[in-house]
Short mmCIF file of all heavy atoms in Angstrom, two decimals:
data_model
loop_
_atom_site.label_atom_id
_atom_site.label_comp_id
_atom_site.label_asym_id
_atom_site.label_seq_id
_atom_site.Cartn_x
_atom_site.Cartn_y
_atom_site.Cartn_z
N GLY A 249 -18.06 -2.05 23.82
CA GLY A 249 -18.73 -3.31 23.57
C GLY A 249 -19.32 -3.50 22.27
O GLY A 249 -19.91 -4.57 21.92
N THR A 250 -19.17 -2.53 21.33
CA THR A 250 -19.78 -2.68 20.05
C THR A 250 -19.00 -3.57 19.15
O THR A 250 -17.86 -3.37 18.95
CB THR A 250 -19.94 -1.22 19.35
OG1 THR A 250 -20.67 -0.41 20.22
CG2 THR A 250 -20.55 -1.33 18.06
N VAL A 251 -19.69 -4.55 18.54
CA VAL A 251 -19.05 -5.48 17.60
C VAL A 251 -19.80 -5.32 16.26
O VAL A 251 -20.96 -5.55 16.17
CB VAL A 251 -19.16 -6.90 18.07
CG1 VAL A 251 -18.53 -7.86 17.05
CG2 VAL A 251 -18.42 -7.08 19.47
N VAL A 252 -18.97 -4.93 15.26
CA VAL A 252 -19.61 -4.73 13.93
C VAL A 252 -19.22 -5.85 13.01
O VAL A 252 -18.04 -6.18 12.88
CB VAL A 252 -18.96 -3.41 13.29
CG1 VAL A 252 -19.65 -3.04 11.97
CG2 VAL A 252 -19.15 -2.22 14.30
N GLU A 253 -20.20 -6.53 12.42
CA GLU A 253 -20.02 -7.74 11.72
C GLU A 253 -19.59 -7.46 10.30
O GLU A 253 -18.87 -8.36 9.68
CB GLU A 253 -21.33 -8.59 11.67
CG GLU A 253 -21.78 -8.95 13.07
CD GLU A 253 -20.88 -9.97 13.83
OE1 GLU A 253 -20.02 -10.49 13.10
OE2 GLU A 253 -20.99 -10.10 15.01
N VAL A 254 -20.02 -6.42 9.68
CA VAL A 254 -19.65 -6.11 8.36
C VAL A 254 -18.55 -5.12 8.16
O VAL A 254 -18.47 -4.27 9.15
CB VAL A 254 -20.85 -5.59 7.48
CG1 VAL A 254 -22.02 -6.68 7.43
CG2 VAL A 254 -21.41 -4.33 8.12
N PRO A 255 -17.74 -5.06 7.19
CA PRO A 255 -16.73 -4.09 7.10
C PRO A 255 -17.20 -2.75 6.84
O PRO A 255 -18.31 -2.55 6.14
CB PRO A 255 -15.73 -4.54 5.89
CG PRO A 255 -16.72 -5.45 5.15
CD PRO A 255 -17.65 -6.02 6.03
N LEU A 256 -16.53 -1.67 7.31
CA LEU A 256 -16.86 -0.33 7.00
C LEU A 256 -15.78 0.24 6.03
O LEU A 256 -14.61 0.12 6.21
CB LEU A 256 -16.83 0.53 8.35
CG LEU A 256 -16.94 2.05 8.14
CD1 LEU A 256 -18.31 2.47 7.57
CD2 LEU A 256 -16.69 2.77 9.53
N GLN A 257 -16.31 0.84 4.98
CA GLN A 257 -15.42 1.42 3.96
C GLN A 257 -15.39 2.87 4.05
O GLN A 257 -16.43 3.61 4.16
CB GLN A 257 -15.91 1.03 2.52
CG GLN A 257 -15.05 1.46 1.39
CD GLN A 257 -15.55 1.15 0.00
OE1 GLN A 257 -16.81 1.06 -0.20
NE2 GLN A 257 -14.71 1.09 -0.97
N LEU A 258 -14.20 3.42 3.97
CA LEU A 258 -13.93 4.84 4.00
C LEU A 258 -13.19 5.17 2.66
O LEU A 258 -11.99 4.73 2.54
CB LEU A 258 -13.10 5.34 5.19
CG LEU A 258 -12.62 6.82 5.16
CD1 LEU A 258 -13.90 7.74 5.15
CD2 LEU A 258 -11.88 7.05 6.47
N LEU A 259 -13.88 5.89 1.75
CA LEU A 259 -13.34 6.13 0.39
C LEU A 259 -12.99 7.67 0.36
O LEU A 259 -13.86 8.45 0.38
CB LEU A 259 -14.49 5.75 -0.60
CG LEU A 259 -14.06 5.53 -2.05
CD1 LEU A 259 -13.15 4.52 -2.17
CD2 LEU A 259 -15.31 5.28 -2.89
N PHE A 260 -11.75 7.83 0.15
CA PHE A 260 -11.25 9.17 -0.19
C PHE A 260 -10.97 9.29 -1.66
O PHE A 260 -10.09 8.70 -2.16
CB PHE A 260 -9.98 9.49 0.60
CG PHE A 260 -10.16 9.73 2.07
CD1 PHE A 260 -9.63 8.80 3.04
CD2 PHE A 260 -10.78 10.87 2.54
CE1 PHE A 260 -9.74 9.01 4.45
CE2 PHE A 260 -10.92 11.07 3.94
CZ PHE A 260 -10.50 10.16 4.86
N VAL A 261 -11.86 10.14 -2.33
CA VAL A 261 -11.73 10.23 -3.74
C VAL A 261 -11.18 11.59 -4.14
O VAL A 261 -11.53 12.66 -3.62
CB VAL A 261 -13.16 10.10 -4.42
CG1 VAL A 261 -13.01 10.16 -5.90
CG2 VAL A 261 -13.95 8.86 -3.87
N SER A 262 -10.13 11.50 -4.97
CA SER A 262 -9.45 12.75 -5.43
C SER A 262 -9.92 13.04 -6.87
O SER A 262 -9.80 12.19 -7.75
CB SER A 262 -7.92 12.69 -5.44
OG SER A 262 -7.50 12.53 -4.04
N VAL A 263 -10.38 14.26 -7.16
CA VAL A 263 -10.84 14.69 -8.44
C VAL A 263 -10.21 16.01 -8.81
O VAL A 263 -10.75 17.04 -8.64
CB VAL A 263 -12.41 14.78 -8.46
CG1 VAL A 263 -12.90 14.94 -9.88
CG2 VAL A 263 -13.07 13.60 -7.78
N PRO A 264 -9.05 15.92 -9.45
CA PRO A 264 -8.41 17.10 -9.91
C PRO A 264 -9.18 17.65 -11.12
O PRO A 264 -9.64 16.81 -11.94
CB PRO A 264 -6.95 16.80 -10.21
CG PRO A 264 -7.05 15.27 -10.50
CD PRO A 264 -8.18 14.75 -9.73
N GLU A 265 -9.09 18.96 -11.33
CA GLU A 265 -9.69 19.51 -12.61
C GLU A 265 -8.60 19.79 -13.55
O GLU A 265 -7.85 18.95 -14.03
CB GLU A 265 -10.52 20.71 -12.29
CG GLU A 265 -11.84 20.30 -11.45
CD GLU A 265 -12.83 21.42 -11.35
OE1 GLU A 265 -12.42 22.56 -11.20
OE2 GLU A 265 -14.06 21.15 -11.41
N ASP A 266 -8.37 21.06 -13.92
CA ASP A 266 -7.41 21.31 -14.96
C ASP A 266 -5.96 21.60 -14.45
O ASP A 266 -5.07 21.62 -15.15
CB ASP A 266 -7.83 22.70 -15.67
CG ASP A 266 -9.15 22.47 -16.43
OD1 ASP A 266 -9.39 21.37 -16.78
OD2 ASP A 266 -9.97 23.47 -16.54
N SER A 267 -5.84 21.85 -13.12
CA SER A 267 -4.47 22.10 -12.51
C SER A 267 -4.30 21.27 -11.33
O SER A 267 -5.24 20.67 -10.74
CB SER A 267 -4.42 23.57 -12.06
OG SER A 267 -5.45 23.91 -11.16
N ALA A 268 -3.06 21.07 -10.98
CA ALA A 268 -2.65 20.29 -9.83
C ALA A 268 -3.28 20.85 -8.53
O ALA A 268 -3.36 22.09 -8.38
CB ALA A 268 -1.09 20.18 -9.67
N MET A 269 -3.70 19.93 -7.61
CA MET A 269 -4.33 20.40 -6.41
C MET A 269 -3.75 19.66 -5.19
O MET A 269 -3.12 18.67 -5.32
CB MET A 269 -5.78 20.14 -6.48
CG MET A 269 -6.19 18.66 -6.44
SD MET A 269 -7.92 18.41 -6.43
CE MET A 269 -7.97 16.60 -6.07
N LEU A 270 -3.94 20.26 -4.06
CA LEU A 270 -3.55 19.71 -2.80
C LEU A 270 -4.80 19.35 -2.03
O LEU A 270 -5.73 20.12 -1.83
CB LEU A 270 -2.74 20.74 -1.99
CG LEU A 270 -2.53 20.35 -0.43
CD1 LEU A 270 -1.62 19.14 -0.40
CD2 LEU A 270 -1.86 21.53 0.24
N THR A 271 -4.89 18.07 -1.56
CA THR A 271 -5.94 17.59 -0.70
C THR A 271 -5.31 17.10 0.63
O THR A 271 -4.20 16.66 0.68
CB THR A 271 -6.78 16.44 -1.32
OG1 THR A 271 -5.88 15.30 -1.50
CG2 THR A 271 -7.37 16.85 -2.67
N GLN A 272 -6.10 17.28 1.69
CA GLN A 272 -5.69 16.88 3.05
C GLN A 272 -6.69 16.02 3.79
O GLN A 272 -7.35 16.47 4.65
CB GLN A 272 -5.48 18.19 3.90
CG GLN A 272 -4.62 19.25 3.14
CD GLN A 272 -3.16 19.40 3.62
OE1 GLN A 272 -2.61 18.52 4.22
NE2 GLN A 272 -2.54 20.48 3.45
N PRO A 273 -6.91 14.77 3.37
CA PRO A 273 -7.78 13.92 4.09
C PRO A 273 -7.45 13.74 5.53
O PRO A 273 -6.26 13.59 5.83
CB PRO A 273 -7.73 12.60 3.29
CG PRO A 273 -7.14 13.02 1.97
CD PRO A 273 -6.19 14.16 2.22
N ARG A 274 -8.35 13.68 6.50
CA ARG A 274 -8.06 13.46 7.82
C ARG A 274 -9.14 12.53 8.40
O ARG A 274 -10.31 12.56 8.06
CB ARG A 274 -8.15 14.78 8.63
CG ARG A 274 -7.76 14.71 10.06
CD ARG A 274 -6.28 14.48 10.24
NE ARG A 274 -5.82 14.52 11.61
CZ ARG A 274 -4.84 15.32 12.09
NH1 ARG A 274 -4.22 16.08 11.26
NH2 ARG A 274 -4.54 15.20 13.39
N CYS A 275 -8.70 11.54 9.23
CA CYS A 275 -9.57 10.53 9.81
C CYS A 275 -9.18 10.25 11.28
O CYS A 275 -7.97 10.23 11.53
CB CYS A 275 -9.47 9.17 9.03
SG CYS A 275 -10.43 7.77 9.68
N LEU A 276 -10.22 10.13 12.11
CA LEU A 276 -9.99 9.82 13.44
C LEU A 276 -10.82 8.57 13.82
O LEU A 276 -12.07 8.55 13.55
CB LEU A 276 -10.45 10.94 14.48
CG LEU A 276 -10.52 10.66 15.94
CD1 LEU A 276 -9.09 10.45 16.47
CD2 LEU A 276 -11.16 11.72 16.76
#
Side-chain angles (χ1 to χ4, degrees):
T250 301
V251 176
V252 184
E253 301 294 343
V254 298
L256 171 65
Q257 182 184 26
L258 174 57
L259 196 60
F260 287 112
V261 185
S262 295
V263 190
E265 291 190 322
D266 297 330
S267 59
M269 69 177 189
L270 169 65
T271 63
Q272 310 253 24
R274 186 70 177 233
C275 177
L276 174 67

